[in-house]
Amino acid sequence: MARAHELLHAGLVRLRRRCRSHRTSPVSTLVPSPHPYGRAFGLVAVVLLGAWLGLLVVGAVRTPVGPVDTNMALRPSLSGGTKINVSPLGALELDSHTAPIRLDVDIDRLDPVRSQALVQHPERLAGLQEEIGRDVTDGTRDLALRSCVAVVFGATALGLAVYRRPRRALTAGGLALVLLAASGVSAWATWNPKSVLEPRFSGLLSSAPSVVGNARSIVTEFDVYQKELARLVTNVTKLYEATSTLPVYQPDPGTMRVLHVSDIHLNPASWHIIGSLVEQYDIDVIIDSGDTMDHGTAAENTFLDPIPDLGAPYVWVRGNHDSLVTQSYLQRLRNVHVLDEGRAVTVGGLRVAGTGDPQFTPDRSTVPAGDPAERMAGIRLASALRDQRAAGTPVDIAVAHNPVAAREADGEVPLVLAGHVHRRDTEILPLGTRLKIEGSTGGGGLRAVEREEPEKVRASVLYLDRDTRSLQAWDEITLGGLGLTTAEVSRHLAKAPPPQGPGAPGTPPPTGLPSPGP
């Protein structure tokens, strides 16, 4: 019995020593420790969630910017950028930077005291942009400091609640601060000060392109982000003062405006949309790249009657859903210019040439000729363009319905327009010609109701220099399907293409001709 007692005592002593050496209890040795990757993943989750909660709860800064009160905040984002909410008019989105954080600016209200002071003292408007620039700088500085405190507080508090260890919680707070700093460095490294030149509008702001000025002003004046953000807020102030109606776009006298529409497909709402755009943007010329009809029958011709009253000359080429009957009817309408087989006209100061689609697909008695027929039509168009240049009347814009035909005009004209594919695209062709393809201005027409989600209504406003006829910029207008419940305007600047045309510097000579001498 004594021997058994000694053995038991010795075993307990060894067990106590083992527990002391591992600084734990005998029971805890039976529980497996967490995997290192699991601990790291959990810590990252705590840091991200805590930082987001901190920014959400205490990360916003309320600051006056000129005559308006704003809320600035940083929010997690996959693509970064800046979003400016102008309640209740809509929002603008700018591709200002690439980082996992987005800058949100909410313009809440127009301060009555500060706005009244501007009305009573108009001389203050001269220094308003500088004042707004200072306000934006101060607000951004305050936002950076508050955001640092917010992410550290949020990650530390959540870490303390999860781990119940101050050291682990402080580690989470420090990592959150490092993450925010890295995001700030990424935003600074990718900061695009000219992102204000190409904003995306939504809501009622899509009807007010004057918020960012006209194309000529954009090209020559918009070079500093902070200064133009001040201009933006100033113009938003004018929008609030308008109350009942938005200001009409004031075009630059040196800019020509062309409205490009296509593939209307018998949608009567299109005429109202086009008429509104003509009035809003003070359009000089409307160019329709075809498929205005759906079956091309004579019974559909009365659908075309509103065209003479749209408020601008109408240039049209035949699409594969438009018949020769359609074309003949349009030729008799006032203010309509029908182009076919390379015919050129001068309208509103622009020289435009085009060709109709060689195919008429609603006619089931004929076999579609396909792309070879389109290429031949494009080759004939290119030949006509060369003849125009040789005659001393070079063409500014060429038009064809099918992009396959339009591509054959590469090198013969600066800009060629097309449609047909019901999607929007733009590209610089190998010889320097810019090809712009428009979506369906009729939202796909009657066939739009066959889809679960109606096709969107698309049109574009092209801004051309009145002297050189070169494309400066364009606005892409997109309306949300048949219900027209959403509206968006996206502005793009035209980067100068390489020289085009035979004999232009840097352009290879045509096939079969000797290379020019020195």
Side-chain angles (χ1 to χ4, degrees):
M1 187 70 178
R3 179 63 178 170
H5 184 269
E6 291 176 358
L7 292 174
L8 179 61
H9 178 72
L12 290 174
V13 170
R14 286 194 299 271
L15 181 61
R16 189 179 297 111
R17 288 175 180 173
R18 183 178 300 174
C19 293
R20 188 179 297 115
S21 65
H22 289 284
R23 300 179 181 273
T24 183
S25 64
V27 176
S28 66
T29 60
L30 302 177
V31 180
S33 60
H35 193 278
Y37 291 119
R39 290 198 301 268
F41 178 79
L43 181 61
V44 170
V46 168
V47 169
L48 294 177
L49 182 59
W52 177 75
L53 290 175
L55 289 175
L56 191 64
V57 176
V58 296
V61 171
R62 185 169 182 83
T63 181
V65 178
V68 299
D69 292 328
T70 69
N71 271 325
M72 295 184 179
L74 296 179
R75 294 289 181 258
S77 172
L78 295 177
S79 58
T82 299
K83 184 174 183 180
I84 304 174
N85 297 300
V86 189
S87 178
L89 300 175
L92 297 92
E93 295 184 18
L94 310 174
D95 294 328
S96 57
H97 62 277
T98 302
I101 52 173
R102 185 187 72 214
L103 174 61
D104 282 3
V105 181
D106 295 327
I107 300 178
D108 292 337
R109 70 187 185 95
L110 185 67
D111 184 86
V113 176
R114 297 197 298 273
S115 59
Q116 185 66 26
L118 289 177
V119 174
Q120 294 177 350
H121 303 281
E123 67 276 5
R124 295 186 181 180
L125 288 173
L128 183 59
Q129 291 190 9
E130 289 75 10
E131 177 186 347
I132 290 175
R134 291 192 297 270
D135 292 341
V136 170
T137 301
D138 294 341
T140 304
R141 186 184 302 113
D142 294 343
L143 177 62
L145 294 175
R146 181 179 285 266
S147 298
C148 291
V149 174
V151 299
V152 172
F153 171 78
T156 301
L158 185 60
L160 192 61
V162 172
Y163 298 114
R164 300 183 183 279
R165 296 182 181 179
R167 180 178 298 178
R168 189 69 64 86
L170 290 176
T171 301
L175 289 177
L177 183 60
V178 171
L179 178 63
L180 180 63
S183 300
V185 171
S186 176
W188 176 80
T190 60
W191 186 254
N192 178 17
K194 295 187 178 181
S195 60
V196 73
L197 304 184
E198 301 185 9
R200 295 184 297 275
F201 302 92
S202 61
L204 292 177
L205 282 182
S206 60
S207 299
S210 60
V211 171
V212 293
N214 53 62
R216 172 64 67 86
S217 299
I218 284 176
V219 174
T220 59
E221 299 174 4
F222 282 10
D223 56 349
V224 180
Y225 179 85
Q226 179 173 293
K227 181 178 179 180
E228 296 320 308
L229 185 60
R231 180 189 294 274
L232 172 65
V233 177
T234 303
N235 286 332
V236 168
T237 302
K238 297 177 182 178
L239 289 179
Y240 274 100
E241 292 174 352
T243 62
S244 60
T245 59
L246 294 174
V248 176
Y249 177 73
Q250 297 297 326
D252 190 300
T255 303
M256 305 179 72
R257 295 151 306 280
V258 176
L259 177 62
H260 182 200
V261 301
S262 188
D263 296 85
I264 292 174
H265 286 293
L266 284 179
N267 185 348
S270 299
W271 302 133
H272 299 282
I273 297 169
I274 293 173
S276 176
L277 292 174
V278 168
E279 180 180 0
Q280 177 72 22
Y281 287 84
D282 196 11
I283 295 297
D284 294 302
V285 180
I286 305 168
I287 297 180
D288 185 343
S289 51
D291 271 6
T292 312
M293 310 300 252
D294 209 36
H295 297 90
T297 62
E300 298 172 340
N301 284 342
T302 56
F303 170 75
L304 305 169
D305 290 343
I307 291 180
D309 299 320
L310 291 177
Y314 200 89
V315 178
W316 181 87
V317 299
R318 187 179 65 252
N320 62 297
H321 282 264
D322 304 317
S323 66
L324 292 175
V325 173
T326 304
Q327 180 166 309
S328 177
Y329 188 85
L330 276 167
Q331 286 173 331
R332 297 193 297 268
L333 292 182
R334 173 179 53 85
N335 216 22
V336 176
H337 304 270
V338 175
L339 305 182
D340 198 7
E341 298 295 336
R343 176 175 178 257
V345 294
T346 300
V347 183
L350 279 176
R351 188 74 174 165
V352 186
T355 188
D357 198 295
Q359 304 182 89
F360 180 54
T361 53
D363 184 2
R364 303 303 182 185
S365 63
T366 60
V367 178
D371 287 352
E374 300 292 346
R375 292 191 184 94
M376 288 303 301
I379 290 172
R380 292 193 296 271
L381 173 61
S383 176
L385 295 174
R386 286 191 293 270
D387 293 342
Q388 289 288 329
R389 184 170 59 248
T393 55
V395 171
D396 303 311
I397 300 177
V399 191
H401 177 66
N402 195 310
V404 174
R407 291 177 188 277
E408 298 298 327
D410 185 19
E412 307 297 343
V413 69
L415 177 63
V416 59
L417 307 180
H420 182 63
V421 293
H422 289 211
R423 67 177 182 272
R424 186 183 276 142
D425 194 14
T426 181
E427 63 175 299
I428 303 296
L429 299 177
L431 296 181
T433 294
R434 185 187 300 273
L435 169 63
K436 286 193 59 59
I437 304 173
E438 188 53 74
S440 174
T441 310
L446 298 176
R447 286 169 290 176
V449 299
E450 299 174 357
R451 305 184 179 185
E452 293 183 3
E453 183 177 349
E455 187 174 336
K456 293 184 177 181
V457 175
R458 293 178 170 90
S460 295
V461 177
L462 314 179
Y463 303 97
L464 294 92
D465 186 275
R466 190 172 293 275
D467 297 325
T468 65
R469 311 293 193 272
S470 61
L471 182 66
Q472 291 185 321
W474 68 90
D475 286 344
E476 295 179 347
I477 296 101
T478 305
L479 305 178
L482 295 178
L484 304 182
T485 56
T486 61
E488 180 178 322
V489 178
S490 179
R491 172 155 292 176
H492 302 267
L493 297 181
K495 298 177 178 61
Q500 83 284 332
T507 303
T511 303
L513 294 180
S515 299

